[in-house]
């Protein structure tokens, strides 16, 4: 033994250390290390100790109980929305951070109780109407949502509910003879794969956004303002939103959309304006994309619906005929998880025919 100690001191030290760590592992496997995953067939007991060291646990804290370990607070979700107040997103340069998860909780509303008419009924998170009947958000987007490009649901369901109270009526194709359709690539699909263009006029192109509608020449027809000056349109349909995801906040998006609607009403005061909800994406896209997903789309659709007054501005959402029970775009309806196959634009046309506005002049 003395010869071994003299000739191989390092080996003896390693053996002694291994024995010591194994004893610590045996002593702690039912208390301090009770919460750690361990396979006794594949791993030695001293592996528990190394895991504990990696997690910052005291080697000799044998007095810690199993209850103390099990009561340790779980880590938050990777993209958990902070309920605390945050700096104003609109004054902060937009970083390029991407989220890995969606928020799972919403903060309490900040409005005074006497301002709220509809809210928190049946467990639903809802916005509220002020004393003038205007739908207001019950909170602001947080800084965490902003930097992670998460579209905040700041209105809840109240806009959807109010828009759904209008009694839409079935119409014939001639109903669209005095209609102008403004939109992005999804509207292009309706133009190219149905006969709607033989009735209404289309001012649409790939990648069009709400931010470019009045500052951009669209195809051969030119700008929206120019098109509106050339014909007495009685109906204006707008379908944009997918390209705006990941840009700014819900407030930024709905603020710009409101400006567009207000300007259209000024240019064509006798026309009705129909806002079309943003079409959702497939489950495969929803589950793998941090920006182009149905959480963000739903949040912005709820905001869009608040613009409808059911008198001159209306909100409709064809997702009800395009999505599965989980709210994802039907897989066999799309070729790229975002756009419809040509043949399935017919479903959108039929939805529009079923949702005419019975406006009394």
């Amino acid at each position: 033994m003395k010869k071994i100690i003299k000739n191989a001191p390092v080996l003896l030290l390693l053996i002694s250390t291994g024995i010591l760590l194994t004893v610590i592992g045996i002593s702690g496997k039912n208390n301090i290390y009770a919460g750690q995953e361990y396979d006794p067939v594949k791993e030695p007991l001293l592996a528990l100790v190394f895991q504990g060291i990696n997690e910052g646990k005291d080697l000799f804290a044998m007095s810690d109980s199993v209850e103390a370990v099990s009561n340790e607070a779980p880590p938050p979700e990777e993209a958990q929305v902070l309920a605390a107040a945050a700096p104003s997103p609109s004054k902060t340069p937009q970083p390029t951070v991407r989220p890995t998860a969606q928020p799972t909780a919403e903060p309490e509303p900040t409005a005074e109780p006497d301002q709220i008419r509809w809210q928190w009924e049946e467990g639903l998170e809802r916005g509220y109407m002020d004393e003038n009947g205007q739908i207001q958000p019950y909170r602001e987007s947080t800084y965490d949502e902003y930097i992670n490009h998460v579209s905040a649901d700041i209105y809840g369901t109240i806009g959807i509910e109010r828009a759904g109270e209008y009694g839409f009526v079935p119409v014939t194709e001639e109903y669209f003879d005095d209609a102008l359709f403004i939109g992005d690539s999804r509207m292009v699909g309706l133009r190219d794969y149905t006969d709607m263009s033989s009735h209404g006029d289309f001012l649409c192109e790939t990648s069009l956004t709400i931010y470019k509608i009045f500052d951009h020449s669209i195809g051969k027809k030119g700008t929206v303002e120019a098109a509106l000056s050339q014909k007495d349109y009685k109906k204006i349909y707008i379908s944009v939103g997918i390209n705006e995801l990941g840009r700014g906040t819900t407030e930024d998006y709905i603020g710009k959309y409101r400006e567009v609607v207000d300007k259209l009403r000024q240019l064509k005061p006798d026309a009705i304006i129909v806002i079309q909800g943003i079409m959702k994406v497939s489950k495969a896209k929803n589950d793998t994309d941090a920006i182009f997903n149905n959480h963000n789309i739903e949040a912005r659709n709820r905001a869009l619906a608040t613009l409808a007054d059911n008198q001159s501005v209306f909100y409709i959402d064809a997702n009800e005929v395009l999505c599965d029970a989980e709210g994802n775009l039907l897989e066999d309806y799309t070729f790229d998880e975002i756009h419809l196959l040509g043949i399935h634009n017919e479903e959108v046309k039929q939805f529009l025919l079923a949702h005419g506005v019975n406006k009394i002049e």
Side-chain angles (χ1 to χ4, degrees):
M1 177 63 70
K2 291 182 179 180
K3 186 175 181 181
I4 294 175
I5 294 174
K6 181 179 180 181
N7 295 335
V10 176
L11 176 61
L12 183 62
L13 178 62
L14 291 174
I15 293 173
S16 301
T17 303
I19 293 172
L20 176 61
L21 294 178
T22 299
V23 172
I24 294 173
I26 293 172
S27 303
K29 68 184 181 69
N30 293 322
N31 43 65
I32 186 174
Y33 303 127
Q36 296 175 190
E37 295 184 1
Y38 167 65
D39 186 344
V41 176
K42 298 181 180 179
E43 300 175 300
L45 275 166
L46 59 84
L48 287 171
V49 181
F50 286 111
Q51 290 181 39
I53 293 172
N54 187 54
E55 295 174 7
K57 292 179 180 177
D58 187 344
L59 273 178
F60 302 101
M62 294 298 109
S63 61
D64 291 353
S65 66
V66 174
E67 182 180 0
V69 173
S70 63
N71 286 339
E72 183 178 345
E77 294 295 331
E78 293 178 2
Q80 184 75 28
V81 177
L82 300 178
S88 174
S90 61
K91 298 180 180 179
T92 308
Q94 185 169 333
T96 56
V97 180
R98 296 293 186 269
T100 55
Q102 300 303 325
T104 58
E106 297 284 1
E108 293 287 336
T110 57
E112 295 297 327
D114 59 356
Q115 291 180 296
I116 301 173
R117 295 185 183 180
W118 294 348
Q119 188 175 320
W120 299 99
E121 295 179 8
E122 300 177 358
L124 296 176
E125 295 156 353
R126 312 168 90 166
Y128 67 93
M129 286 193 296
D130 63 22
E131 58 186 8
N132 298 316
Q134 298 295 314
I135 297 178
Q136 301 294 333
Y138 62 84
R139 69 173 178 91
E140 296 179 349
S141 295
T142 66
Y143 179 72
D144 188 61
E145 287 168 327
Y146 171 71
I147 63 171
N148 287 299
H149 304 302
V150 175
S151 294
D153 179 11
I154 59 176
Y155 286 96
T157 60
I158 185 172
I160 299 289
E161 293 172 9
R162 186 172 74 170
E165 291 174 355
Y166 182 79
F168 294 100
V169 297
V171 295
T172 62
E173 294 177 348
E174 289 71 26
Y175 173 83
F176 300 107
D177 288 346
D178 57 1
L180 176 66
F181 293 87
I182 304 170
D184 54 27
S185 55
R186 280 137 161 219
M187 187 72 88
V188 171
L190 183 68
R191 179 195 68 190
D192 292 350
Y193 294 101
T194 70
D195 60 356
M196 291 287 284
S197 60
S198 63
H199 295 279
D201 293 334
F202 282 76
L203 204 60
C204 54
E205 70 176 16
T206 300
S207 300
L208 184 67
T209 70
I210 196 67
Y211 302 101
K212 298 194 298 183
I213 280 183
F214 280 108
D215 303 322
H216 184 65
S217 181
I218 307 172
K220 297 180 180 179
K221 294 184 182 297
T223 65
V224 168
E225 195 162 356
L228 292 175
S229 67
Q230 296 167 14
K231 185 173 179 178
D232 187 21
Y233 293 105
K234 295 298 184 183
K235 308 171 187 76
I236 302 172
Y237 286 76
I238 313 174
S239 177
V240 293
I242 188 69
N243 299 300
E244 293 89 319
L245 295 180
R247 172 174 175 172
T249 63
T250 306
E251 290 96 325
D252 296 332
Y253 176 70
I254 197 63
K256 185 61 180 179
Y257 216 114
R258 183 178 289 107
E259 288 179 15
V260 169
V261 169
D262 288 344
K263 187 167 183 178
L264 288 172
R265 294 176 74 177
Q266 292 173 8
L267 294 171
K268 289 293 180 183
D270 295 330
I272 62 170
I273 298 170
V274 181
I275 298 170
Q276 294 180 243
I278 306 166
M279 189 176 74
K280 293 185 177 179
V281 297
S282 71
K283 178 176 174 55
K285 185 70 171 175
N286 177 68
D287 292 349
T288 58
D289 200 303
I291 294 178
F292 298 97
N293 58 61
N294 292 329
H295 167 87
N296 286 345
I297 291 173
E298 182 67 21
R300 295 206 172 185
N301 278 348
R302 288 183 173 188
L304 285 180
T306 67
L307 299 179
D309 59 14
N310 291 346
Q311 296 176 12
S312 60
V313 182
F314 302 85
Y315 174 83
I316 59 175
D317 187 359
N319 281 307
E320 63 184 71
V321 298
L322 299 173
C323 294
D324 60 24
E326 296 179 351
N328 302 306
L329 181 63
L330 289 163
E331 293 284 353
D332 58 354
Y333 274 28
T334 177
F335 63 93
D336 64 353
E337 316 300 340
I338 296 177
H339 298 89
L340 291 174
L341 285 163
I343 191 174
H344 289 296
N345 283 279
E346 183 65 24
E347 277 85 340
V348 179
K349 173 190 170 181
Q350 294 304 319
F351 179 83
L352 294 178
L353 286 169
H355 288 77
V357 174
N358 185 23
K359 187 172 184 290
I360 300 175
E361 300 294 341

